[in-house]
């Protein structure tokens, strides 16, 4: 195995790690995405009672 194959494997591993990180972050942020800062009281997702 020469250095070019090692570099290709490292780039592939970095892409896979980036995709896994993006999926995990998207899953975790999904519950906050609807009303993360919305002050619209007519919105059906608005649950902040002041």
């Amino acid at each position: 195995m020469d250095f070019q194959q090692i570099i290709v494997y490292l780039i592939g591993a970095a892409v896979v790690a980036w995709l896994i990180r993006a999926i995990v972050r998207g899953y975790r942020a999904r519950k906050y995405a609807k009303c993360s800062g919305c002050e619209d009281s007519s919105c059906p997702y608005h649950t902040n009672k002041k």
Side-chain angles (χ1 to χ4, degrees):
M1 188 182 314
D2 59 351
F3 72 95
Q4 289 177 341
Q5 287 180 331
I6 294 171
I7 291 173
V8 169
Y9 290 139
L10 289 175
I11 291 172
V15 169
V16 169
W18 180 80
L19 287 173
I20 291 172
R21 178 178 172 259
I23 291 169
V24 169
R25 289 183 72 193
Y27 180 75
R28 287 183 181 170
R30 183 175 50 172
K31 64 182 175 181
Y32 301 112
K34 288 183 183 174
C35 293
S36 62
C38 179
E39 295 297 329
D40 186 11
S41 62
S42 64
C43 175
Y45 298 113
H46 186 73
T47 58
N48 291 340
K49 305 287 187 207
K50 288 186 178 182

